[in-house]
Amino acid sequence: MSTPLKEKLENTRKNRDLGILELFSIDDLSVNDISLILELAEIFKQSKTEKTDLLKGTTIINAFYEASTRTRTSFEIAGKNLGSDTINISASSSSLSKGESYIDTTETLAALQAKMIILRSSESGLPIFVAKHIPSIVINAGDGSHEHPTQALLDLKTMLDYHKTLKGKKVTIVGDISHSRVFGSLVRILQKFEANIYIVCPETFLPHELNQFNIKLSPSIEDTLPGTDVIYALRVQEERGAKGYIPSLREYSKTYGINPRRFAMANPDAILMHAGPVIRDIDVFSSLMTHKRTKILDMVENGLAVRKSLLWLLCDRRDNKQKSYKII
Ligand code: CP
């Protein structure tokens, strides 16, 4: 008989705790924290959607004030598979639409005994701002153009599942860097795991604060792709006004879109990644979506596993540290 899931998880965890109480940025996590999350994620991945009672008696609220398919659904399935009562609220269906403030809304959710609030919003910095007001654990599920830390965790797992290590691997990130929270977390995790990071994009998509990272900028995608182990394409973020920074989507796709010719310029074992949603034939050409080295759906599968791991580790701390909060 195979070892029950709960026992496998406990045996692998070996009483280890994360060094954080909640998650806002990849900067919050040490390499050891990330390794622990990924070790447990692999066990959850093997278990598919097997149910446990690890989070029985907890309430998790997915407060998604901006649209989402992958992140919201995977957090919901993750919570339910772990035995938590998981519910979703959106901006349009909540009293935010009547003018209630974020703080009042979040305090209301905390008063309903939410152990954890998973927050997605178009405002950069909202998760850390509201977290100071409530005892509930807050996870950033994507804030404006700032960060999307659980996306970076699943990105890293997908890269390591295939390449085993990132040390010295060439990762080329192509696209709308300046509006992308996916980039904000990805660049931080790649730097922690010692990848060689290259970025290629129109100059108008370059943010100002890039000098804090060890990255190489390249003006030409054709010059950058040779030797690449991972191509990571970013979506042009129309909802954040990105179209105003390029002549047209057609011109963008001609110069930066990942098509079969460009994919073939990378290493023969290179993988193609995109966080989704993909704008087909702009970011990534349709004919590559089903390529065996295109990892977009593997990323979705890893997202569920990584989020289960994170929910369990954050909800079930063993060192009895309590989150303290203050009204400001
Ligand atoms: N990658 C990602 O965040 O996708 P969703 O917006 O669908 O959650």
Side-chain angles (χ1 to χ4, degrees):
M1 208 174 73
S2 63
T3 318
L5 175 57
K6 211 167 154 178
E7 203 178 316
K8 266 192 223 165
L9 290 163
E10 297 282 8
N11 290 343
T12 304
R13 184 175 172 183
K14 295 192 193 88
N15 294 325
R16 288 176 288 172
D17 265 322
L18 295 178
I20 55 165
L21 297 173
E22 41 200 347
L23 180 61
F24 307 114
S25 161
I26 286 297
D27 285 340
D28 301 335
L29 294 165
S30 67
V31 168
N32 282 345
D33 287 334
I34 295 169
S35 301
L36 173 59
I37 294 167
L38 297 197
E39 272 178 60
L40 296 170
E42 181 54 30
I43 297 173
F44 279 118
K45 185 175 176 178
Q46 298 303 327
S47 76
K48 307 271 182 207
T49 53
E50 188 178 331
K51 294 194 182 344
T52 68
D53 60 359
L54 288 163
L55 298 190
K56 193 161 183 253
T58 65
T59 298
I60 297 178
I61 298 183
N62 288 322
F64 275 60
Y65 304 144
E66 197 187 56
S68 167
T69 298
R70 283 147 277 270
T71 314
R72 191 191 62 72
T73 313
S74 60
F75 267 119
E76 183 176 355
I77 297 171
K80 285 182 169 155
N81 284 177
L82 296 175
S84 174
D85 293 317
T86 305
I87 63 155
N88 302 307
I89 66 162
S90 67
S92 61
S93 64
S94 72
S95 289
L96 280 168
S97 64
K98 300 176 197 161
E100 190 167 35
S101 71
Y102 283 124
I103 296 291
D104 290 341
T105 300
T106 315
E107 285 180 341
T108 302
L109 301 178
L112 291 167
Q113 306 302 314
K115 171 90 174 168
M116 189 175 273
I117 297 174
I118 320 287
L119 186 56
R120 153 82 54 108
S121 77
S122 52
E123 286 81 13
S124 299
L126 187 66
I128 198 163
F129 178 69
V130 296
K132 290 181 180 148
H133 293 255
I134 53 168
S136 313
I137 298 162
V138 175
I139 294 182
N140 178 5
D143 61 330
S145 52
H146 175 226
E147 278 213 46
H148 190 352
T150 59
Q151 177 69 47
L153 291 168
L154 74 89
D155 292 339
L156 178 69
K157 175 154 175 53
T158 307
M159 292 180 205
L160 291 178
D161 283 353
Y162 188 81
H163 282 307
K164 309 305 171 208
T165 178
L166 280 189
K167 196 166 181 173
K169 294 285 181 193
K170 180 173 179 179
V171 180
T172 299
I173 306 172
V174 185
D176 182 0
I177 309 284
S178 56
H179 298 99
S180 176
R181 57 192 173 215
V182 170
F183 175 78
S185 290
L186 179 63
V187 69
R188 287 172 166 84
I189 212 161
L190 290 176
Q191 190 154 289
K192 277 183 197 287
F193 283 77
E194 301 178 55
N196 289 334
I197 311 165
Y198 287 71
I199 62 176
V200 190
C201 64
E203 241 176 71
T204 44
F205 275 166
L206 276 180
H208 300 291
E209 72 280 9
L210 279 181
N211 52 7
Q212 65 180 301
F213 303 112
N214 183 15
I215 55 178
K216 294 164 195 79
L217 291 178
S218 174
S220 153
I221 191 162
E222 275 75 16
D223 288 349
T224 314
L225 288 175
T228 291
D229 299 293
V230 177
I231 303 175
Y232 200 115
L234 297 171
R235 180 171 63 89
V236 177
Q237 308 252 314
E238 285 194 61
E239 72 274 32
R240 290 182 229 293
K243 260 169 82 177
Y245 291 81
I246 48 175
S248 69
L249 286 175
R250 199 159 146 260
E251 295 297 325
Y252 172 85
S253 113
K254 239 173 106 177
T255 317
Y256 297 99
I258 305 301
N259 56 28
R261 180 181 64 82
R262 290 190 172 130
F263 193 24
M265 294 175 79
N267 282 344
D269 65 345
I271 55 173
L272 173 58
M273 297 176 65
H274 188 297
V278 173
I279 309 302
R280 284 181 179 230
D281 302 320
I282 303 293
D283 323 318
V284 174
F285 279 65
S286 282
S287 56
L288 286 178
M289 293 297 283
T290 50
H291 193 289
K292 66 176 188 307
R293 285 183 283 113
T294 297
K295 297 294 173 188
I296 295 170
L297 294 180
D298 302 69
M299 293 164 73
V300 174
E301 195 182 350
N302 282 334
L304 177 59
V306 157
R307 288 172 179 128
K308 279 188 198 176
S309 174
L310 184 67
L311 290 184
W312 181 45
L313 287 166
L314 284 179
C315 276
D316 182 54
R317 291 187 60 96
R318 284 138 205 256
D319 58 2
N320 289 324
K321 264 193 225 158
Q322 292 292 321
K323 182 185 163 190
S324 63
Y325 67 101
K326 58 178 188 292
I327 303 296
I328 51 170

